[in-house]
Amino acid sequence: AAQGALDPLRHAAQARARRLHAALVLSDTALVFRFFAKARFSAAAAERTLLAHLLWRVRPGGAANLGSGSSGSSGGGGGGGLDALSPGARRHALRGVLRFFGQDRGGRPAAVLDLSRYDPGGGGGGSSVAAAAEDLREYLVYALEVGRRCVYAVNNLGDGGGDSGGDDDAAGGRFAWAVPDAGPGLPRPFAANLALVIDLSTLSVANL
């Protein structure tokens, strides 16, 4: 009986968390701009795809349930960080398949994708193809959500957004973001996305 009495409160809290996450994501100028550009600057098309994206975010397996538990400065309001990941996805994060390492010369947060660190079976060979694919999907959703928050932080330096949202374990430590210098009298550069480097140095030609 007590459990049933708590259900309405739990559902109300979950609905409030979803609304908060949606509001915080919509405050991310870079994310909204990317949807606008993808829609060829059609406001109606961008609105449709952005709404579908927000609905995906709050569903099981969406970014709202896999991101950092922090909010506010990181533009987040998500779940429980690494603790929210499956064991396989968490293994990819700890191995550093996608690592964040600061900013490029234009001020964008930078990440390196090191395919040599990808181990679908964890060294045991026990994972099925479907399970390995789902672990990788879940990890990439998580890692790219961390990247989105890093972009948000860079764009909001000086506005209470100068950190990575507490994703120390995923982003490789809390960064001290630097404001890109565009020169005297010029507006501050806008980071629309990540700078991604793919490290192929440890892969053989047979793997390419």
Side-chain angles (χ1 to χ4, degrees), residues 6-168:
L6 290 175
D7 283 345
L9 293 176
R10 184 178 299 108
H11 294 326
Q14 291 171 344
R16 182 179 181 277
R18 288 194 292 268
R19 290 194 298 270
L20 175 61
H21 180 80
L24 289 168
V25 168
L26 287 174
S27 73
D28 185 344
T29 305
L31 180 139
V32 174
F33 172 79
R34 290 195 297 271
F35 275 89
F36 198 47
K38 183 179 179 181
R40 298 185 179 181
F41 301 99
S42 164
E47 182 180 3
R48 288 194 300 270
T49 55
L50 187 54
L51 177 59
H53 177 72
L54 290 173
L55 291 173
W56 165 78
R57 277 182 164 272
V58 299
R59 290 172 181 158
N65 303 307
L66 298 177
S68 164
S70 62
S71 61
S73 67
S74 63
L82 287 180
D83 292 338
L85 298 178
S86 66
R90 189 181 308 118
R91 183 181 66 251
H92 295 327
L94 295 176
R95 286 178 62 87
V97 175
L98 184 68
R99 306 190 309 281
F100 297 87
F101 61 91
Q103 293 165 263
D104 68 1
R105 296 180 65 180
R108 296 178 301 174
V112 58
L113 177 64
D114 187 347
L115 297 177
S116 70
R117 294 173 180 254
Y118 173 62
D119 180 9
S127 296
S128 68
V129 173
E134 176 58 23
D135 286 341
L136 180 60
R137 184 206 67 81
E138 183 178 320
Y139 167 65
L140 289 176
V141 168
Y142 172 71
L144 292 175
E145 173 65 3
V146 173
R148 181 193 70 79
R149 296 177 187 209
C150 291
V151 173
Y152 181 98
V154 168
N155 285 329
N156 288 273
L157 285 170
D159 299 321
D163 63 60
S164 62
D167 294 287
D168 294 350

Side-chain angles (χ1 to χ4, degrees), residues 148-205:
R148 181 193 70 79
R149 296 177 187 209
C150 291
V151 173
Y152 181 98
V154 168
N155 285 329
N156 288 273
L157 285 170
D159 299 321
D163 63 60
S164 62
D167 294 287
D168 294 350
D169 44 14
R174 186 181 296 273
F175 295 122
W177 300 110
V179 178
D181 183 11
L186 296 176
R188 187 173 76 183
F190 172 70
N193 47 38
L194 290 170
L196 180 64
V197 177
I198 301 178
D199 184 1
L200 301 177
S201 62
T202 58
L203 297 179
S204 68
V205 174

